[in-house]
Amino acid sequence: MDATAEVRHVPSAAETRLAIDAVSHFPSREAVTDGQLNLKGPRHVLNRFRAMCKADRRAYYDMLEILMDQFEGRTP
C-alpha cells in the first residue's frame, strides 16, 4: 500500500442503519392524511373554479380551503 494513499473509513452496518434512519421517513409507518374528492357539476362552474385556481396559481385543495374559510366566516 502506498504511504500517500488515503485511508477511508468504511462504516459498519450499525452506523449505516443509524445514518439512514436519521434522514429517512417511511410512509408506510405513517398515517395517510391525503384524501380525494371528485366533483360533478355544470361544466361552466367547474371551468370557472379551474380558472380561479390557475389565475391565482393555487392548487385546487388550497383554493377550496380559502373559499370554505370565507363561507364559514360570513355572518348570516
Side-chain angles (χ1 to χ4, degrees):
M1 180 177 218
D2 186 8
T4 60
E6 278 187 37
V7 177
R8 293 188 178 186
H9 171 72
V10 178
S12 67
E15 289 174 321
T16 302
R17 182 177 301 276
L18 287 174
I20 292 171
D21 287 347
V23 297
S24 294
H25 299 282
F26 296 98
S28 62
R29 295 181 184 174
E30 297 174 5
V32 176
T33 59
D34 289 348
Q36 185 172 340
L37 177 67
N38 295 316
L39 297 173
K40 183 175 181 178
R43 190 174 306 273
H44 72 277
V45 173
L46 299 176
N47 288 339
R48 182 176 164 208
F49 180 73
R50 286 187 192 107
M52 287 174 58
C53 296
K54 185 175 182 179
D56 211 32
R57 300 186 71 170
R58 295 189 181 273
Y60 293 160
Y61 70 88
D62 194 26
M63 183 60 80
L64 179 61
E65 186 173 30
I66 290 169
L67 294 172
M68 289 188 306
D69 289 344
Q70 287 293 317
F71 178 80
E72 291 170 347
R74 189 172 60 179
T75 56

